[in-house]
Amino acid sequence: MKQRVLQLEGGVNFRELGGYATTTGQQVKWQKILRAGSLDQLTPTDLVTLKHYGLRYDVDLRSEHEARVYPDRLPAVTQYTNTPVYPFTDDHALRGLQINLPASPFAMFTQTYQQMVADSHPQQAWRQIFSDMLANTGDNESVVFHCAAGKDRTGVGAILVLAVLDVLPAVIQQDYLLTNQIFGARQHEIAQIVAENESEAMTNQMNQHLSVEATNVAAVLATIKALSGSPERYLQTELGFSKQDVADLKRLYLTK
């Protein structure tokens, strides 16, 4: 039986993106693409489980400091890359974009989500995820991308991946909001795991709010549309992939 949340002794918000339905009537393949929070608490038993699960690539979206203080624990066969989402480098990345969103008390956080899509620095992280996905050609072999809580940085990554794979928007939102259920059960534990570093105000400020808001999904998708017109075009115009790369992603990660 397939598990949406992997049963790992030291896993944080470690989840499958397989099984989600697409607009074309297909599904995302299981055991191919995963999302998670911190991997520094994984136990030896977890590492054996992930080795047998086929974990081949790990994209760490945390800062160099987070990665150094809380290093990932991985099977020996897993290829690791640290590609931080923060800091932002282009204060004007959203300027001139026509994005109309409903008013929200979390507008500051929503804008951060939009910046993660439009800014050239986090785009390097998304490029790494999709590059590893393209390299991950074996059956039942998987890529994981993660941050500290598996919530904001990982949440944007998951929205991008699922949108490119044509997953239904309502399903993308459902996956994003699943974090709230997971954290509701383990909030006191998660708060201890999330890295606290005074020099990384953005990370700390976002992680103080362990819940996520549905408006953030709409903000990410609207920013993609404003930048490029569609998720497929975003991969090409913003991340530098080809039409063939997009076709290969769908061939590798969607059922026939």
PDB file of all heavy atoms in Angstrom, residues 5 51 88 113 145:
ATOM      1  N   VAL A   5       2.453   9.940   3.540  1.00  0.00           N
ATOM      2  CA  VAL A   5       3.491  10.371   4.478  1.00  0.00           C
ATOM      3  C   VAL A   5       4.342   9.157   4.820  1.00  0.00           C
ATOM      4  O   VAL A   5       3.838   8.181   5.368  1.00  0.00           O
ATOM      5  CB  VAL A   5       2.878  10.970   5.759  1.00  0.00           C
ATOM      6  CG1 VAL A   5       3.988  11.431   6.712  1.00  0.00           C
ATOM      7  CG2 VAL A   5       1.945  12.121   5.423  1.00  0.00           C
ATOM      8  N   LYS A  51      17.111   3.810   1.259  1.00  0.00           N
ATOM      9  CA  LYS A  51      17.947   3.141   0.253  1.00  0.00           C
ATOM     10  C   LYS A  51      17.099   2.170  -0.561  1.00  0.00           C
ATOM     11  O   LYS A  51      17.156   2.147  -1.796  1.00  0.00           O
ATOM     12  CB  LYS A  51      19.099   2.404   0.931  1.00  0.00           C
ATOM     13  CG  LYS A  51      19.973   1.629  -0.058  1.00  0.00           C
ATOM     14  CD  LYS A  51      21.078   0.859   0.652  1.00  0.00           C
ATOM     15  CE  LYS A  51      21.908   0.053  -0.348  1.00  0.00           C
ATOM     16  NZ  LYS A  51      22.984  -0.723   0.324  1.00  0.00           N
ATOM     17  N   PHE A  88      17.060  36.553  -1.271  1.00  0.00           N
ATOM     18  CA  PHE A  88      16.623  37.139  -2.528  1.00  0.00           C
ATOM     19  C   PHE A  88      17.670  38.148  -2.995  1.00  0.00           C
ATOM     20  O   PHE A  88      18.337  38.788  -2.188  1.00  0.00           O
ATOM     21  CB  PHE A  88      15.278  37.848  -2.361  1.00  0.00           C
ATOM     22  CG  PHE A  88      14.160  36.908  -1.983  1.00  0.00           C
ATOM     23  CD1 PHE A  88      13.169  37.307  -1.094  1.00  0.00           C
ATOM     24  CD2 PHE A  88      14.082  35.637  -2.522  1.00  0.00           C
ATOM     25  CE1 PHE A  88      12.134  36.457  -0.758  1.00  0.00           C
ATOM     26  CE2 PHE A  88      13.058  34.767  -2.185  1.00  0.00           C
ATOM     27  CZ  PHE A  88      12.078  35.185  -1.294  1.00  0.00           C
ATOM     28  N   TYR A 113       6.321  34.379  -1.134  1.00  0.00           N
ATOM     29  CA  TYR A 113       6.093  33.243  -2.041  1.00  0.00           C
ATOM     30  C   TYR A 113       6.233  33.685  -3.495  1.00  0.00           C
ATOM     31  O   TYR A 113       6.834  32.981  -4.314  1.00  0.00           O
ATOM     32  CB  TYR A 113       4.705  32.657  -1.800  1.00  0.00           C
ATOM     33  CG  TYR A 113       4.664  31.581  -0.740  1.00  0.00           C
ATOM     34  CD1 TYR A 113       4.980  31.866   0.588  1.00  0.00           C
ATOM     35  CD2 TYR A 113       4.316  30.278  -1.058  1.00  0.00           C
ATOM     36  CE1 TYR A 113       4.944  30.889   1.572  1.00  0.00           C
ATOM     37  CE2 TYR A 113       4.277  29.285  -0.087  1.00  0.00           C
ATOM     38  CZ  TYR A 113       4.596  29.600   1.224  1.00  0.00           C
ATOM     39  OH  TYR A 113       4.570  28.625   2.181  1.00  0.00           O
ATOM     40  N   PHE A 145      13.338  16.858  -2.369  1.00  0.00           N
ATOM     41  CA  PHE A 145      13.775  18.233  -2.120  1.00  0.00           C
ATOM     42  C   PHE A 145      13.189  18.645  -0.778  1.00  0.00           C
ATOM     43  O   PHE A 145      12.092  18.232  -0.410  1.00  0.00           O
ATOM     44  CB  PHE A 145      13.357  19.186  -3.249  1.00  0.00           C
ATOM     45  CG  PHE A 145      11.895  19.191  -3.584  1.00  0.00           C
ATOM     46  CD1 PHE A 145      11.030  20.107  -2.992  1.00  0.00           C
ATOM     47  CD2 PHE A 145      11.369  18.287  -4.497  1.00  0.00           C
ATOM     48  CE1 PHE A 145       9.680  20.126  -3.302  1.00  0.00           C
ATOM     49  CE2 PHE A 145      10.021  18.292  -4.822  1.00  0.00           C
ATOM     50  CZ  PHE A 145       9.171  19.210  -4.228  1.00  0.00           C
TER      51      PHE A 145
END
